[in-house]
Amino acid sequence: MRRRRAHALWFWVFVGPFALGLALFTYVPLLWSVGLSFFDAHNTVTPTHFVGLDNYTAMLKDDAFVSSLKTFLVFTAFIVPATYVFSLSLALMVNRVRRARAFFRSVFFLPAACSYVVAALVWKMSIFNGVRFGLANTVLGWFGGDPVAWLSTTDPPWYWLVIVTVRLWLQAGFYMILFLAGLQRIDPALYEAAAVDGARPGWTVLRHITLPQLRATSVAVVLLLVINAFQAFDEFYNLLSDARGYPPYARPPLVYLYYTALGQGQNFGLGSAGAVILALVIAVVTVGQARWLRLGRTDADG
């Protein structure tokens, strides 16, 4: 009994501070936000006027909030397949390298450690600067092209190229590591048997052996990509906002909620209601996607 008590004591010594911090800085604010969503909370986090579901009704009827959800769908349609294909391609190339594999793995993973704010500013000020001194416009000038205002041109919407490429550069290395872990779990005997049967290396082996064996990893990657797309904020805000504010286009949900809760009106009740709606949408999409992709099931389950 004394030993068990000692083990329990040391467990709380190590886990207690983290559990306390998680409760104070995560769960309490979440519960407080849900509570605020049922009150008229203008410029206060301790409201007294209960409004029920009025904040939720107002958010669902707000064209700007609905438009922000559509922006997320467009962003997801671009970034999820692009990141999946690019990170899988990197993993396949690194997995085939016989020498300096750790070096290439580290090089491709390094952008994942970069700050989203810093990367967005580099893309905005150096690569896709709207004047002729930006790298992209300099390259266009070599071929006789005119400078493009990448972040302010809406027809065509060139700002999507900037947003997608910076997110792709930042996160592809992380998902490459996940795919590498999946590739290293594949039994080499499968490829040997395919070679004996006359299967051509390349697309045939990738389609019939590699991709089916990576199914569990692929499902996890797609789920993480969709959830992370919902939470996009840093790159949008730092790329598109300026001294005049944020433009009316390409405004994802978190940027819209940021201006709703912390803008001139500081409507914490309305912003909290929007956050709860967004959390529910993420939960529904994630669960639906997991069921559609048969997460956790094996082929024997049907």
Side-chain angles (χ1 to χ4, degrees):
M1 291 293 295
R2 184 178 302 175
R3 180 178 298 179
R4 296 176 67 177
R5 289 179 181 176
H7 287 170
L9 175 62
W10 283 111
F11 172 81
W12 287 112
V13 167
F14 286 104
V15 177
F18 297 100
L20 182 62
L22 185 65
L24 289 177
F25 299 107
T26 301
Y27 294 121
V28 170
L30 284 175
L31 294 176
W32 197 286
S33 178
V34 173
L36 285 176
S37 67
F38 297 102
F39 288 86
D40 182 10
H42 281 85
N43 300 311
T44 180
V45 294
T46 57
T48 57
H49 183 205
F50 182 78
V51 296
L53 298 176
D54 290 352
N55 287 328
Y56 292 91
T57 303
M59 289 299 295
L60 293 175
K61 291 182 178 180
D62 190 348
D63 293 336
F65 180 68
V66 175
S67 177
S68 70
L69 294 177
K70 294 179 181 177
T71 298
F72 154 73
L73 294 177
V74 175
F75 180 59
T76 304
F78 283 134
I79 196 62
V80 172
T83 304
Y84 181 91
V85 173
F86 187 56
S87 58
L88 178 58
S89 301
L90 289 177
L92 291 171
M93 289 189 294
V94 173
N95 193 53
R96 293 177 62 89
V97 173
R98 300 305 178 190
R99 296 181 179 179
R101 179 182 296 180
F103 168 77
F104 289 106
R105 184 170 60 232
S106 300
V107 167
F108 290 130
F109 179 78
L110 192 60
C114 181
S115 167
Y116 274 55
V117 176
V118 173
L121 292 178
V122 170
W123 252 246
K124 180 178 182 178
M125 305 303 295
S126 299
I127 300 178
F128 290 99
N129 196 317
V131 297
R132 61 188 180 91
F133 299 107
L135 177 61
N137 283 333
T138 300
V139 175
L140 285 177
W142 293 344
F143 297 95
D146 297 325
V148 176
W150 299 97
L151 294 172
S152 59
T153 302
T154 58
D155 187 22
W158 287 114
Y159 54 86
W160 280 120
L161 176 64
V162 186
I163 295 171
V164 171
T165 52
V166 65
R167 171 62 78 94
L168 181 63
W169 180 78
L170 284 164
Q171 68 182 11
F174 172 77
Y175 295 103
M176 177 202 70
I177 296 297
L178 298 184
F179 279 122
L180 269 175
L183 288 171
Q184 292 172 3
R185 290 198 305 266
I186 300 177
D187 189 355
L190 295 175
Y191 296 105
E192 297 173 0
V196 171
D197 291 339
R200 296 181 179 179
W203 171 247
T204 302
V205 174
L206 177 67
R207 177 184 177 186
H208 295 285
I209 297 179
T210 305
L211 291 180
Q213 293 295 317
L214 288 177
R215 181 181 172 278
T217 304
S218 297
V219 171
V221 166
V222 172
L223 288 176
L224 290 174
L225 284 172
V226 173
I227 294 174
N228 288 335
F230 260 116
Q231 299 172 343
F233 175 82
D234 291 338
E235 62 268 50
F236 280 86
Y237 184 80
N238 289 281
L239 283 171
L240 297 177
S241 64
D242 53 26
R244 296 169 295 180
Y246 197 96
Y249 54 86
R251 183 173 294 189
L254 288 185
V255 171
Y256 172 79
L257 295 177
Y258 171 79
Y259 280 100
T260 300
L262 300 177
Q264 294 181 352
Q266 289 194 348
N267 194 332
F268 297 110
L270 204 61
S272 298
V276 173
I277 293 173
L278 181 60
L280 292 175
V281 170
I282 294 175
V284 170
V285 170
T286 302
V287 172
Q289 191 178 20
R291 291 181 63 87
W292 180 58
L293 296 172
R294 299 171 62 205
L295 180 63
R297 298 183 183 181
T298 62
D299 295 334
D301 296 329

